[in-house]
Amino acid sequence: MKKRVMWLMACLLVLVSLGFTAKAYAAYKTDYVKFTFVIKPKQKNTSTSTRYRQTTNRNRAWTVQLGSSEEGWMTYTRFWLEKSNGENVSKAFNASAGGPRLYNSAYSSASKQNVKLTAENNNYNNASYSCYGTWDEETAYIISGGQLLNRP
């Protein structure tokens, strides 16, 4: 009887542990949320609605992929994360239309905050154009030493 109780407790412990592990991993599920922007002239900003970035790990990557741009194939648009008050919470980088998915780390000020994807024309000119793609404020990837790693 004692062995059976111990065996049941061990099974329960394993099940509870698996539940917490699955919940922690699900928190960093990559969503690839669609966006459509009209990029404004003279580098005026355009942004999405906010999403909650729950991590406290500044190296937990966020991502953007610029699927297409009216400006043309392989042209660039600049992207970064921002809080609703306009504070930048990541470095900006250029993504090319039709190019690869890009990953970037965020500043520690993005931890447990509502953030939005913000974009601007990488050229200071009078051009305005539409573009679309996907982004996620927090992925299951870690950036370490400038390299993208799978979630540990």
Side-chain angles (χ1 to χ4, degrees), residues 102-144:
L102 301 175
Y103 295 85
N104 201 355
S105 59
Y107 301 150
S108 57
S109 54
S111 296
K112 299 210 175 274
Q113 296 292 318
N114 286 313
V115 298
K116 58 187 176 177
L117 178 68
T118 304
E120 69 182 12
N121 190 336
N122 68 310
N123 297 305
Y124 189 83
N125 58 31
N126 289 323
S128 177
Y129 58 91
S130 295
C131 66
Y132 69 86
T134 58
W135 77 291
D136 194 341
E137 81 288 349
E138 159 179 72
T139 69
Y141 296 100
I142 300 290
I143 294 180
S144 178

CSV table of all heavy atoms in Angstrom, one decimal, residues 102-144:
chain,number,residue,atom,x,y,z
A,102,LEU,N,13.5,38.7,-39.4
A,102,LEU,CA,14.6,39.3,-38.6
A,102,LEU,C,14.2,39.2,-37.2
A,102,LEU,O,13.1,39.4,-36.8
A,102,LEU,CB,14.9,40.7,-39.1
A,102,LEU,CG,15.3,40.9,-40.5
A,102,LEU,CD1,15.5,42.4,-40.9
A,102,LEU,CD2,16.6,40.1,-40.8
A,103,TYR,N,15.2,39.0,-36.3
A,103,TYR,CA,15.0,38.9,-34.9
A,103,TYR,C,15.9,40.0,-34.2
A,103,TYR,O,17.0,40.2,-34.7
A,103,TYR,CB,15.4,37.6,-34.4
A,103,TYR,CG,14.5,36.5,-34.9
A,103,TYR,CD1,14.7,35.9,-36.1
A,103,TYR,CD2,13.4,36.1,-34.2
A,103,TYR,CE1,13.9,34.9,-36.6
A,103,TYR,CE2,12.5,35.1,-34.6
A,103,TYR,CZ,12.8,34.5,-35.9
A,103,TYR,OH,12.0,33.5,-36.3
A,104,ASN,N,15.4,40.5,-33.1
A,104,ASN,CA,16.2,41.6,-32.4
A,104,ASN,C,15.9,41.5,-30.9
A,104,ASN,O,14.8,41.0,-30.5
A,104,ASN,CB,15.8,43.0,-32.9
A,104,ASN,CG,16.8,44.0,-32.7
A,104,ASN,OD1,17.8,43.8,-32.1
A,104,ASN,ND2,16.5,45.2,-33.2
A,105,SER,N,16.9,41.9,-30.1
A,105,SER,CA,16.6,41.9,-28.7
A,105,SER,C,15.9,43.3,-28.3
A,105,SER,O,15.9,44.2,-29.2
A,105,SER,CB,17.9,41.8,-27.9
A,105,SER,OG,18.8,42.8,-28.3
A,106,ALA,N,15.4,43.4,-27.1
A,106,ALA,CA,14.8,44.6,-26.7
A,106,ALA,C,15.6,45.2,-25.5
A,106,ALA,O,16.4,44.5,-24.9
A,106,ALA,CB,13.3,44.3,-26.3
A,107,TYR,N,15.3,46.4,-25.2
A,107,TYR,CA,15.9,47.0,-24.0
A,107,TYR,C,15.2,46.5,-22.7
A,107,TYR,O,14.0,46.0,-22.8
A,107,TYR,CB,15.7,48.5,-24.0
A,107,TYR,CG,16.4,49.2,-25.2
A,107,TYR,CD1,15.8,50.4,-25.7
A,107,TYR,CD2,17.5,48.7,-25.8
A,107,TYR,CE1,16.4,51.1,-26.7
A,107,TYR,CE2,18.1,49.4,-26.9
A,107,TYR,CZ,17.5,50.6,-27.3
A,107,TYR,OH,18.1,51.2,-28.4
A,108,SER,N,15.8,46.5,-21.6
A,108,SER,CA,15.2,46.1,-20.4
A,108,SER,C,13.9,46.9,-20.1
A,108,SER,O,13.0,46.3,-19.4
A,108,SER,CB,16.2,46.1,-19.2
A,108,SER,OG,16.6,47.4,-19.0
A,109,SER,N,13.8,48.1,-20.6
A,109,SER,CA,12.6,48.9,-20.3
A,109,SER,C,11.4,48.3,-21.1
A,109,SER,O,10.2,48.8,-20.9
A,109,SER,CB,12.8,50.3,-20.8
A,109,SER,OG,13.3,50.4,-22.1
A,110,ALA,N,11.6,47.3,-21.9
A,110,ALA,CA,10.4,46.6,-22.6
A,110,ALA,C,9.9,45.4,-21.7
A,110,ALA,O,8.9,44.9,-22.1
A,110,ALA,CB,10.9,46.1,-23.9
A,111,SER,N,10.5,45.1,-20.6
A,111,SER,CA,10.1,44.0,-19.8
A,111,SER,C,8.7,44.3,-19.1
A,111,SER,O,8.5,45.3,-18.6
A,111,SER,CB,11.1,43.8,-18.6
A,111,SER,OG,12.4,43.4,-19.2
A,112,LYS,N,7.9,43.3,-19.3
A,112,LYS,CA,6.5,43.3,-18.7
A,112,LYS,C,5.8,44.6,-19.1
A,112,LYS,O,5.3,45.3,-18.2
A,112,LYS,CB,6.6,43.1,-17.2
A,112,LYS,CG,7.2,41.8,-16.8
A,112,LYS,CD,6.6,41.3,-15.5
A,112,LYS,CE,7.1,39.9,-15.2
A,112,LYS,NZ,6.3,38.8,-15.8
A,113,GLN,N,5.8,45.0,-20.4
A,113,GLN,CA,5.3,46.2,-20.9
A,113,GLN,C,4.4,46.0,-22.1
A,113,GLN,O,4.7,45.0,-22.8
A,113,GLN,CB,6.4,47.2,-21.3
A,113,GLN,CG,7.2,47.7,-20.1
A,113,GLN,CD,6.5,48.5,-19.2
A,113,GLN,OE1,5.7,49.4,-19.6
A,113,GLN,NE2,6.7,48.3,-17.9
A,114,ASN,N,3.5,46.8,-22.3
A,114,ASN,CA,2.7,46.9,-23.6
A,114,ASN,C,3.6,47.6,-24.6
A,114,ASN,O,4.1,48.7,-24.4
A,114,ASN,CB,1.4,47.6,-23.5
A,114,ASN,CG,0.4,46.8,-22.7
A,114,ASN,OD1,0.2,45.6,-23.0
A,114,ASN,ND2,-0.3,47.4,-21.8
A,115,VAL,N,3.9,46.9,-25.7
A,115,VAL,CA,4.8,47.5,-26.8
A,115,VAL,C,4.1,47.4,-28.1
A,115,VAL,O,3.1,46.6,-28.3
A,115,VAL,CB,6.1,46.8,-26.8
A,115,VAL,CG1,6.9,46.9,-25.5
A,115,VAL,CG2,6.0,45.3,-27.2
A,116,LYS,N,4.5,48.2,-29.0
A,116,LYS,CA,4.0,48.2,-30.4
A,116,LYS,C,5.1,48.2,-31.4
A,116,LYS,O,6.2,48.7,-31.1
A,116,LYS,CB,3.0,49.4,-30.6
A,116,LYS,CG,3.7,50.7,-30.4
A,116,LYS,CD,2.6,51.8,-30.5
A,116,LYS,CE,3.3,53.2,-30.1
A,116,LYS,NZ,2.3,54.3,-30.3
A,117,LEU,N,4.8,47.6,-32.5
A,117,LEU,CA,5.7,47.7,-33.7
A,117,LEU,C,5.6,49.1,-34.3
A,117,LEU,O,4.5,49.5,-34.7
A,117,LEU,CB,5.4,46.6,-34.7
A,117,LEU,CG,6.3,46.6,-35.9
A,117,LEU,CD1,7.8,46.2,-35.5
A,117,LEU,CD2,5.8,45.6,-36.9
A,118,THR,N,6.7,49.7,-34.5
A,118,THR,CA,6.7,51.1,-35.1
A,118,THR,C,7.6,51.0,-36.3
A,118,THR,O,8.6,50.3,-36.3
A,118,THR,CB,7.2,52.1,-34.1
A,118,THR,OG1,6.4,52.1,-32.9
A,118,THR,CG2,7.1,53.5,-34.7
A,119,ALA,N,7.2,51.8,-37.4
A,119,ALA,CA,8.0,51.8,-38.6
A,119,ALA,C,8.0,53.2,-39.2
A,119,ALA,O,7.2,54.0,-38.9
A,119,ALA,CB,7.3,50.8,-39.6
A,120,GLU,N,9.1,53.3,-40.0
A,120,GLU,CA,9.2,54.6,-40.8
A,120,GLU,C,10.0,54.3,-42.1
A,120,GLU,O,10.7,53.2,-42.2
A,120,GLU,CB,10.0,55.6,-40.0
A,120,GLU,CG,11.4,55.3,-39.7
A,120,GLU,CD,12.2,56.4,-38.9
A,120,GLU,OE1,11.5,57.2,-38.3
A,120,GLU,OE2,13.4,56.3,-38.9
A,121,ASN,N,9.9,55.1,-43.0
A,121,ASN,CA,10.7,55.0,-44.2
A,121,ASN,C,12.2,55.2,-43.8
A,121,ASN,O,12.5,56.1,-43.0
A,121,ASN,CB,10.3,56.2,-45.2
A,121,ASN,CG,10.9,56.0,-46.6
A,121,ASN,OD1,11.9,55.3,-46.8
A,121,ASN,ND2,10.2,56.6,-47.6
A,122,ASN,N,13.0,54.4,-44.4
A,122,ASN,CA,14.4,54.5,-44.0
A,122,ASN,C,15.1,55.6,-44.8
A,122,ASN,O,16.2,56.0,-44.5
A,122,ASN,CB,15.2,53.2,-44.3
A,122,ASN,CG,15.3,52.9,-45.8
A,122,ASN,OD1,14.3,52.9,-46.5
A,122,ASN,ND2,16.5,52.6,-46.3
A,123,ASN,N,14.4,56.3,-45.7
A,123,ASN,CA,14.9,57.4,-46.4
A,123,ASN,C,14.0,58.7,-46.0
A,123,ASN,O,12.8,58.6,-45.9
A,123,ASN,CB,14.7,57.3,-48.0
A,123,ASN,CG,15.6,56.1,-48.5
A,123,ASN,OD1,16.8,56.1,-48.2
A,123,ASN,ND2,14.9,55.2,-49.1
A,124,TYR,N,14.7,59.8,-45.9
A,124,TYR,CA,14.0,61.0,-45.6
A,124,TYR,C,13.5,61.7,-46.9
A,124,TYR,O,14.3,62.3,-47.6
A,124,TYR,CB,14.8,62.0,-44.8
A,124,TYR,CG,14.0,63.2,-44.3
A,124,TYR,CD1,13.3,63.1,-43.1
A,124,TYR,CD2,14.0,64.4,-44.9
A,124,TYR,CE1,12.6,64.1,-42.6
A,124,TYR,CE2,13.3,65.5,-44.5
A,124,TYR,CZ,12.6,65.3,-43.3
A,124,TYR,OH,11.8,66.4,-42.9
A,125,ASN,N,12.3,61.4,-47.3
A,125,ASN,CA,11.8,61.9,-48.6
A,125,ASN,C,10.3,62.1,-48.5
A,125,ASN,O,9.7,61.8,-47.4
A,125,ASN,CB,12.2,61.0,-49.8
A,125,ASN,CG,11.7,59.6,-49.6
A,125,ASN,OD1,10.7,59.4,-49.0
A,125,ASN,ND2,12.5,58.7,-50.2
A,126,ASN,N,9.7,62.5,-49.6
A,126,ASN,CA,8.2,62.7,-49.6
A,126,ASN,C,7.4,61.5,-49.9
A,126,ASN,O,6.2,61.6,-50.1
A,126,ASN,CB,7.9,63.9,-50.6
A,126,ASN,CG,8.3,65.2,-50.0
A,126,ASN,OD1,8.2,65.4,-48.8
A,126,ASN,ND2,8.8,66.0,-50.9
A,127,ALA,N,8.1,60.3,-50.1
A,127,ALA,CA,7.4,59.1,-50.5
A,127,ALA,C,6.5,58.6,-49.4
A,127,ALA,O,6.8,58.7,-48.2
A,127,ALA,CB,8.4,58.1,-50.9
A,128,SER,N,5.3,58.0,-49.8
A,128,SER,CA,4.4,57.3,-48.9
A,128,SER,C,4.1,56.0,-49.6
A,128,SER,O,3.9,56.0,-50.9
A,128,SER,CB,3.1,58.2,-48.8
A,128,SER,OG,2.2,57.5,-48.0
A,129,TYR,N,4.0,54.9,-48.9
A,129,TYR,CA,3.8,53.6,-49.5
A,129,TYR,C,3.1,52.7,-48.5
A,129,TYR,O,3.3,52.8,-47.3
A,129,TYR,CB,5.0,53.0,-50.1
A,129,TYR,CG,6.2,52.8,-49.1
A,129,TYR,CD1,6.3,51.6,-48.5
A,129,TYR,CD2,7.1,53.8,-48.9
A,129,TYR,CE1,7.3,51.4,-47.6
A,129,TYR,CE2,8.1,53.6,-48.0
A,129,TYR,CZ,8.3,52.4,-47.3
A,129,TYR,OH,9.3,52.2,-46.4
A,130,SER,N,2.4,51.7,-49.0
A,130,SER,CA,1.8,50.7,-48.2
A,130,SER,C,2.8,49.5,-48.1
A,130,SER,O,3.6,49.2,-49.0
A,130,SER,CB,0.5,50.2,-48.8
A,130,SER,OG,-0.4,51.2,-48.9
A,131,CYS,N,2.7,48.8,-47.0
A,131,CYS,CA,3.5,47.6,-46.8
A,131,CYS,C,2.8,46.7,-45.8
A,131,CYS,O,1.9,47.1,-45.1
A,131,CYS,CB,4.9,47.9,-46.3
A,131,CYS,SG,5.0,48.6,-44.7
A,132,TYR,N,3.1,45.4,-45.9
A,132,TYR,CA,2.5,44.5,-44.9
A,132,TYR,C,3.5,43.4,-44.6
A,132,TYR,O,4.5,43.2,-45.2
A,132,TYR,CB,1.2,43.8,-45.5
A,132,TYR,CG,1.4,42.9,-46.6
A,132,TYR,CD1,1.7,41.6,-46.4
A,132,TYR,CD2,1.4,43.4,-47.9
A,132,TYR,CE1,1.9,40.7,-47.5
A,132,TYR,CE2,1.5,42.5,-49.0
A,132,TYR,CZ,1.8,41.2,-48.8
A,132,TYR,OH,2.0,40.3,-49.8
A,133,GLY,N,3.2,42.7,-43.5
A,133,GLY,CA,4.1,41.6,-43.0
A,133,GLY,C,3.6,41.1,-41.7
A,133,GLY,O,2.4,41.2,-41.4
A,134,THR,N,4.5,40.5,-40.9
A,134,THR,CA,4.1,39.9,-39.7
A,134,THR,C,5.2,40.3,-38.6
A,134,THR,O,6.3,40.6,-39.0
A,134,THR,CB,4.1,38.3,-39.7
A,134,THR,OG1,5.3,37.8,-40.1
A,134,THR,CG2,3.0,37.9,-40.6
A,135,TRP,N,4.8,40.3,-37.3
A,135,TRP,CA,5.7,40.6,-36.2
A,135,TRP,C,5.2,39.8,-35.0
A,135,TRP,O,4.1,39.3,-35.0
A,135,TRP,CB,5.7,42.1,-36.0
A,135,TRP,CG,4.5,42.7,-35.3
A,135,TRP,CD1,3.2,42.8,-35.7
A,135,TRP,CD2,4.5,43.2,-33.9
A,135,TRP,NE1,2.4,43.3,-34.7
A,135,TRP,CE2,3.2,43.6,-33.6
A,135,TRP,CE3,5.5,43.3,-32.9
A,135,TRP,CZ2,2.9,44.2,-32.4
A,135,TRP,CZ3,5.1,43.9,-31.7
A,135,TRP,CH2,3.8,44.3,-31.5
A,136,ASP,N,6.1,39.8,-34.0
A,136,ASP,CA,5.7,39.3,-32.7
A,136,ASP,C,6.6,40.0,-31.7
A,136,ASP,O,7.8,40.1,-31.9
A,136,ASP,CB,5.9,37.7,-32.6
A,136,ASP,CG,5.3,37.1,-31.4
A,136,ASP,OD1,5.0,37.8,-30.4
A,136,ASP,OD2,5.1,35.9,-31.4
A,137,GLU,N,6.0,40.4,-30.6
A,137,GLU,CA,6.7,41.2,-29.6
A,137,GLU,C,7.6,40.3,-28.8
A,137,GLU,O,8.5,40.9,-28.1
A,137,GLU,CB,5.7,41.9,-28.7
A,137,GLU,CG,5.1,41.1,-27.6
A,137,GLU,CD,4.0,40.1,-28.0
A,137,GLU,OE1,3.6,40.1,-29.2
A,137,GLU,OE2,3.6,39.2,-27.2
A,138,GLU,N,7.5,39.0,-28.8
A,138,GLU,CA,8.3,38.1,-28.0
A,138,GLU,C,8.2,36.7,-28.5
A,138,GLU,O,7.1,36.2,-28.8
A,138,GLU,CB,7.7,38.2,-26.6
A,138,GLU,CG,7.9,37.1,-25.6
A,138,GLU,CD,7.3,37.4,-24.3
A,138,GLU,OE1,6.0,37.4,-24.2
A,138,GLU,OE2,8.0,37.7,-23.4
A,139,THR,N,9.3,36.1,-28.8
A,139,THR,CA,9.3,34.8,-29.4
A,139,THR,C,9.9,33.8,-28.5
A,139,THR,O,10.3,34.1,-27.4
A,139,THR,CB,10.1,34.8,-30.7
A,139,THR,OG1,11.5,35.0,-30.4
A,139,THR,CG2,9.7,35.9,-31.7
A,140,ALA,N,10.0,32.5,-29.0
A,140,ALA,CA,10.6,31.5,-28.2
A,140,ALA,C,12.1,31.4,-28.4
A,140,ALA,O,12.7,30.4,-28.1
A,140,ALA,CB,10.0,30.1,-28.6
A,141,TYR,N,12.7,32.5,-28.9
A,141,TYR,CA,14.1,32.5,-29.2
A,141,TYR,C,14.9,33.4,-28.3
A,141,TYR,O,14.4,34.5,-27.9
A,141,TYR,CB,14.4,32.8,-30.7
A,141,TYR,CG,13.8,31.8,-31.6
A,141,TYR,CD1,12.6,32.0,-32.3
A,141,TYR,CD2,14.5,30.6,-31.9
A,141,TYR,CE1,12.1,31.1,-33.1
A,141,TYR,CE2,14.0,29.7,-32.8
A,141,TYR,CZ,12.8,29.9,-33.4
A,141,TYR,OH,12.2,29.0,-34.2
A,142,ILE,N,16.1,33.1,-28.1
A,142,ILE,CA,17.0,34.0,-27.3
A,142,ILE,C,18.2,34.5,-28.3
A,142,ILE,O,18.7,33.7,-29.1
A,142,ILE,CB,17.7,33.2,-26.2
A,142,ILE,CG1,16.6,32.6,-25.2
A,142,ILE,CG2,18.7,34.0,-25.4
A,142,ILE,CD1,15.9,33.7,-24.4
A,143,ILE,N,18.5,35.7,-28.1
A,143,ILE,CA,19.7,36.3,-28.8
A,143,ILE,C,20.9,36.3,-27.9
A,143,ILE,O,20.7,36.9,-26.8
A,143,ILE,CB,19.4,37.7,-29.4
A,143,ILE,CG1,18.3,37.5,-30.5
A,143,ILE,CG2,20.7,38.3,-30.0
A,143,ILE,CD1,17.9,38.8,-31.1
A,144,SER,N,21.9,35.7,-28.2
A,144,SER,CA,23.1,35.6,-27.4
A,144,SER,C,24.4,35.8,-28.2
A,144,SER,O,24.5,35.1,-29.2
A,144,SER,CB,23.2,34.3,-26.6
A,144,SER,OG,24.4,34.2,-25.9
